[in-house]
């Protein structure tokens, strides 16, 4: 599976950890930056990763900023992106099963490294359940189309 990853400076260290972890597991990772802890603007990375996932160039995306909040807000502005901000494994599983989230956002200053890796593994190991959840996803797409 091809996965896009990106972060601002607040998520840089966690991005590097997640990238290494997933590469060791055999995932094909495309890193959209940032490349250091020097101050950057999270919308730039949200747009790069969000565009690649919305275009289906890459299957899924992982975004990290200090809190995960700004980068998830920015990513969700792109039609076709469903980015869930998660800080626990239950939400990580649910955002695949119920929301068909194609991107997750994490807070590099919120979750510790061990929990972050468990969250990522849980999310990637979970599947969308369809059914009534598909109806709700379709309503989200309707909202995108109307505004
Ligand atoms: C950067 O200092 C910080 O504002 C950013 O990483 C993020 O937390 C925004 O939501």
């Amino acid at each position: 599976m091809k996965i896009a990853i990106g972060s601002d400076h607040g998520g840089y260290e966690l991005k590097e950890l997640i990238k290494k972890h997933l590469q060791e597991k055999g995932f094909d990772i495309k890193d959209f930056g940032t490349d250091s802890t020097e101050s950057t603007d999270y919308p730039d990375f949200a747009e790069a990763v969000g565009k690649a996932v919305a275009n289906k160039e890459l299957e899924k995306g992982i975004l990290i900023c200090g809190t995960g909040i700004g980068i998830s807000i920015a990513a969700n502005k792109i039609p076709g992106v469903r980015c869930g901000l998660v800080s626990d494994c239950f939400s990580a599983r649910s955002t695949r099963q119920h929301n068909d989230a194609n991107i997750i956002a994490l807070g590099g200053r919120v979750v510790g490294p061990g929990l972050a890796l468990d969250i990522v593994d849980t999310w990637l190991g979970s599947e969308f359940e369809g059914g009534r959840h598909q109806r709700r996803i379709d309503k989200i797409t309707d909202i995108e189309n109307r505004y």
Side-chain angles (χ1 to χ4, degrees):
M1 184 190 293
K2 291 185 176 177
I3 299 175
I5 195 165
S7 75
D8 73 354
H9 54 288
Y12 171 71
E13 284 171 11
L14 186 55
K15 173 173 70 68
E16 293 302 301
L17 184 77
I18 292 171
K19 183 170 70 175
K20 182 168 174 286
H21 173 74
L22 292 180
Q23 283 170 335
E24 283 170 1
K25 289 188 145 209
F27 288 96
D28 186 357
I29 309 296
K30 183 165 179 182
D31 187 348
F32 288 83
T34 187
D35 301 322
S36 75
T37 54
E38 192 178 322
S39 186
T40 53
D41 299 331
Y42 57 81
D44 298 338
F45 307 98
E47 183 175 8
V49 168
K51 190 174 152 191
V53 173
N55 290 345
K56 304 198 187 304
E57 179 197 332
L58 295 147
E59 279 175 60
K60 289 192 172 75
I62 298 169
L63 286 168
I64 310 142
C65 67
T67 59
I69 296 171
I71 210 159
S72 61
I73 291 172
N76 278 313
K77 298 295 179 190
I78 299 175
V81 166
R82 287 180 302 281
C83 176
L85 169 58
V86 291
S87 302
D88 65 275
C89 291
F90 177 80
S91 301
R93 187 178 308 108
S94 298
T95 205
R96 280 293 309 132
Q97 292 175 334
H98 293 197
N99 314 126
D100 198 15
N102 46 16
I103 299 182
I104 51 166
L106 295 155
R109 298 171 184 155
V110 179
V111 291
L115 176 57
L117 296 184
D118 278 356
I119 286 171
V120 168
D121 288 345
T122 300
W123 181 64
L124 289 172
S126 304
E127 291 298 328
F128 180 49
E129 290 179 347
R132 67 188 187 281
H133 302 298
Q134 183 60 56
R135 183 178 70 244
R136 295 160 187 164
I137 299 300
D138 292 343
K139 289 191 176 191
I140 293 173
T141 306
D142 283 348
I143 293 172
E144 280 179 345
N145 291 337
R146 277 188 278 115
Y147 289 88

